Amino acid sequence: MDNGGNQKEKTAKDLIDAMEYANTEDRQLVTKAFDFAKKAHEGQFRESKEPYFFHVFETAKILAELGMGPVVVATGLLHDVIEDTAITKEEIEAEFGKEILFLIEGVTKLGKLKYRGLKRHTESLRKFFIATSQDIRVLIVRLADRLHNMQTLKYLSKEKQIRKSSETLEIFAPLAYRLGMRVISKDLEDLAFSFINPEKYKETQLLAKQITKRDMKFLEKFDRSIKKTLAKEKLRNIRTSFRVKGLYSLYKKLQRKDGDIEKIYDITALRIITDSVGDCYKILGIIHNTWKPLPGRLKDYIALPKPNAYQSLHTTIFTGNGGILEIQIRTNEMHEEAELGVASHISYKESNRGAAQSQLLWFKRFLPQIEYLKKSPEDGKTNGTTPDWVKKLGSECDNEEGEKLFDELKTDFFEHRVFVFTPNGDVIDLPINSSPIDFAYTIHTDIGKHLSGAKVNGKMASLDTKLRDGDIVEIVTNKSSKPTRKWLDVVKTSEAKRNIKSALKIKD
Ligand code: MN
């Protein structure tokens, strides 16, 4: 995804060609959004002196390359029109309908969040991102937007480069990874790394080049010999590819291994992609029967997927002439999922019910984080408050049912948390119906202890105010203020409850 094509005229056809699939209707939608966005951004330029339209075009192109369908590609083209042009919501709705307006508004809303660089709040900020974008497609558009902004970051001031890069490393790249979009996550990380630490970036780049050159020769030879071995066993339906580790991830790993490159076995790897899970295990057997595996390196992520749903068999083998090589074995579907993550589920199927079903799958990954799903230690069963839809999650369901289930799930997930801000813009994530008292204790015990009043959105508010999404909360403290018994009836967080009880000397 370079910008080499920026010199020539951009056309809607470029986008349509980049899409996996587009019927007449799809082509019409993309072309209409293309013309609309081009006209709306006319006369606007970026710091790079390029027309602003190039930015939305490239964002849409990234989305098309990710396999997104016409609605998401059109959203990519239109994602900045409400924020940056005179176009109104009403015009968008009249021209493109409710769905695209909803997506654009979601993207715009996410863009307004400011990152303040407080490490302990980044997880909250990530959750906030998820909560604000009730449709996963909003996040995917935002990630594509960020990727293009990172690709053109060199035109901005040094200060902005650093701020945007830190944001990218701490929020966007982990988010992409969490969504299983490894291609995007790797590109984001490496771009951010090059701005944050140019020296180390160059060093790591050089190192990776040397290693890749050394390994490549060997990999090619090995690739031929492994294909021959597999062919003897009548396994011909396989393809292989090499992958080179991302520079930032290599840099981090080097730090963990005291800079000793010899201790890192997965800088390059050979991938074997096949048709079925059965073949994956067969191939693993053949490899271990031919080459000695390194002890303790076999990982079965097929039987036990990673938390972000990544699946593959990993093993590391002695290649026989002093070399060591990591091999990853997976099916075609696992490969697509590993590269594109949640995007591989949505893709061109977005317009039918498949989308709800795949978002449901994606949400399952976040479920363990919801507190009331915690299993009670005695009987291993979920506790009594488990909603019905959670129980249903274990069983497979058809599309219509999946859609309904997803709606319930979404409501439940979002309705159980509120996300509020400190005056500095840090995000605090609280249970629903939390009060300024909960907020104060979440920030710091001492602030809770000496809480005397609170401002919500700039106005004095009573301490039992129920906080709502997006509220900005400012706490007023006074050394002589103390918790009262009444607070106990108001608070929702266990942290606040515990501290108030201890201050009032109440035993549990
Ligand atoms: Mn943008």
Side-chain angles (χ1 to χ4, degrees):
M1 294 178 200
D2 68 349
N3 300 304
N6 276 353
Q7 303 314 317
K8 74 174 189 2
E9 186 75 39
K10 300 188 183 307
T11 64
K13 192 176 172 293
D14 295 338
L15 292 177
I16 291 161
D17 288 346
M19 286 168 70
E20 209 167 298
Y21 167 86
N23 62 27
T24 311
E25 213 179 304
D26 300 343
R27 284 197 290 269
Q28 278 167 354
L29 174 59
V30 171
T31 308
K32 188 178 172 189
F34 179 95
D35 294 337
F36 191 94
K38 195 169 181 181
K39 194 156 167 255
H41 288 292
E42 210 164 67
Q44 295 180 335
F45 292 88
R46 303 192 94 204
E47 306 270 351
S48 60
K49 311 271 189 296
E50 286 176 345
Y52 195 93
F53 175 70
F54 282 17
H55 164 64
V56 296
F57 174 87
E58 293 297 333
T59 302
K61 193 147 174 252
I62 291 168
L63 291 166
E65 283 165 354
L66 276 173
M68 293 293 112
V71 169
V72 176
V73 173
T75 305
L77 282 163
L78 298 166
H79 81 270
D80 279 330
V81 290
I82 292 185
E83 181 82 354
D84 295 333
T85 76
I87 305 289
T88 62
K89 290 178 196 176
E90 290 71 25
E91 282 170 82
I92 292 288
E93 188 173 344
E95 290 292 324
F96 297 99
K98 274 198 169 58
E99 187 183 11
I100 288 183
L101 174 66
F102 166 80
L103 292 173
I104 298 172
E105 285 193 292
V107 176
T108 308
K109 205 167 157 195
L110 276 189
K112 290 205 172 118
L113 283 176
K114 282 276 179 299
Y115 166 79
R116 305 286 171 172
L118 257 179
K119 270 240 165 65
R120 78 188 167 99
H121 292 312
T122 53
E123 188 54 40
S124 298
L125 194 53
R126 252 178 258 156
K127 282 189 216 148
F128 185 70
F129 264 77
I130 292 153
T132 3
S133 56
Q134 298 201 4
D135 189 310
I136 195 72
R137 293 175 298 175
V138 170
L139 273 178
I140 295 174
V141 175
R142 196 81 229 168
L143 286 170
D145 167 61
R146 172 54 56 129
L147 181 56
H148 183 251
N149 282 333
M150 290 303 291
Q151 285 166 347
T152 49
L153 197 59
K154 57 172 182 270
Y155 300 107
L156 299 190
S157 69
K158 195 105 216 120
E159 189 235 311
K160 272 195 178 155
Q161 288 177 356
I162 298 294
R163 186 166 59 77
K164 294 238 176 238
S165 296
S166 325
E167 220 175 53
T168 298
L169 275 188
E170 285 181 35
I171 311 283
F172 289 91
L175 196 59
Y177 185 83
R178 191 64 181 272
L179 298 176
M181 299 167 72
R182 294 175 158 236
V183 189
I184 301 280
S185 144
K186 181 172 152 180
D187 282 358
L188 285 173
E189 273 185 351
D190 286 359
L191 283 161
F193 180 33
S194 75
F195 290 102
I196 281 186
N197 201 337
E199 259 170 55
K200 286 284 173 217
Y201 177 81
K202 279 197 197 104
E203 240 175 72
T204 315
Q205 198 177 33
L206 194 71
L207 202 60
K209 239 184 221 152
Q210 288 165 350
I211 300 240
T212 311
K213 213 175 138 196
R214 186 194 73 191
D215 287 2
M216 242 1 166
K217 275 192 214 142
F218 169 74
L219 278 168
E220 278 162 24
K221 223 173 78 197
F222 185 81
D223 182 43
R224 278 196 300 274
S225 108
I226 209 164
K227 272 187 182 147
K228 231 165 78 193
T229 310
L230 292 174
K232 264 189 241 158
E233 304 287 332
K234 308 231 162 8
L235 282 162
R236 287 175 201 280
N237 53 342
I238 62 156
R239 60 195 170 99
T240 57
S241 65
F242 304 130
R243 86 103 179 83
V244 183
K245 209 176 180 62
L247 293 180
Y248 183 66
S249 115
L250 174 57
Y251 168 69
K252 275 196 306 191
K253 201 149 189 182
L254 272 170
Q255 285 183 315
R256 287 201 299 273
K257 304 271 175 184
D258 305 317
D260 187 355
I261 196 111
E262 297 304 323
K263 284 188 195 146
I264 305 178
Y265 303 124
D266 64 345
I267 297 171
T268 55
L270 183 72
R271 267 188 198 141
I272 303 178
I273 298 154
T274 183
D275 288 343
S276 70
V277 171
D279 282 355
C280 291
Y281 288 104
K282 236 187 256 170
I283 291 167
L284 179 74
I286 291 164
I287 289 172
H288 280 186
N289 201 20
T290 315
W291 292 278
K292 208 177 258 313
L294 222 71
R297 300 283 304 180
L298 170 65
K299 300 211 177 76
D300 185 350
Y301 296 123
I302 291 182
L304 302 162
K306 284 192 184 182
N308 67 358
Y310 174 83
Q311 285 190 295
S312 244
L313 297 173
H314 286 193
T315 186
T316 305
I317 55 158
F318 294 103
T319 54
N321 43 4
I324 278 168
L325 178 67
E326 174 166 306
I327 298 181
Q328 305 171 346
I329 310 160
R330 53 175 79 146
T331 65
N332 287 305
E333 291 76 35
M334 289 171 192
H335 183 62
E336 195 176 314
E337 159 92 36
E339 299 283 292
L340 300 172
V342 68
S344 75
H345 293 290
I346 297 177
S347 66
Y348 59 89
K349 301 154 221 146
E350 68 176 17
S351 48
N352 62 36
R353 287 210 179 108
Q357 180 77 356
S358 34
Q359 292 199 31
L360 180 70
L361 278 172
W362 177 78
F363 261 92
K364 278 186 188 176
R365 297 176 207 170
F366 284 91
L367 282 177
Q369 295 185 351
I370 305 179
E371 239 171 86
Y372 53 72
L373 289 179
K374 273 186 189 152
K375 287 181 177 164
S376 71
E378 302 91 69
D379 55 4
K381 278 186 204 141
T382 46
N383 60 37
T385 57
T386 307
D388 238 15
W389 54 262
V390 176
K391 292 178 203 141
K392 284 189 225 150
L393 277 179
S395 56
E396 284 308 311
C397 48
D398 67 29
N399 278 337
E400 201 171 333
E401 221 181 310
E403 199 169 13
K404 217 179 98 215
L405 216 60
F406 174 65
D407 275 342
E408 289 174 37
L409 195 157
K410 210 164 62 175
T411 317
D412 231 68
F413 179 83
F414 295 120
E415 284 185 353
H416 279 79
R417 307 298 291 181
V418 285
F419 297 85
V420 296
F421 293 97
T422 70
N424 289 330
D426 294 325
V427 182
I428 307 290
D429 152 21
L430 296 165
I432 196 84
N433 290 333
S434 284
S435 63
I437 307 171
D438 294 291
F439 177 88
Y441 275 104
T442 306
I443 292 182
H444 200 279
T445 318
D446 282 339
I447 295 182
K449 224 190 313 194
H450 299 298
L451 164 73
S452 68
K455 279 186 187 168
V456 176
N457 301 324
K459 286 194 199 107
M460 285 309 290
S462 74
L463 291 180
D464 61 359
T465 305
K466 285 179 178 156
L467 297 176
R468 291 187 316 186
D469 270 332
D471 280 347
I472 299 170
V473 187
E474 195 179 339
I475 296 298
V476 185
T477 55
N478 184 328
K479 275 213 168 79
S480 59
S481 291
K482 269 187 269 180
T484 70
R485 201 168 265 272
K486 237 182 94 186
W487 287 12
L488 277 179
D489 301 331
V490 176
V491 296
K492 295 282 175 236
T493 54
S494 45
E495 181 72 4
K497 244 175 224 155
R498 199 166 45 78
N499 278 297
I500 296 166
K501 277 184 183 165
S502 110
L504 297 171
K505 305 204 165 35
I506 300 175
K507 293 224 175 76
D508 276 309

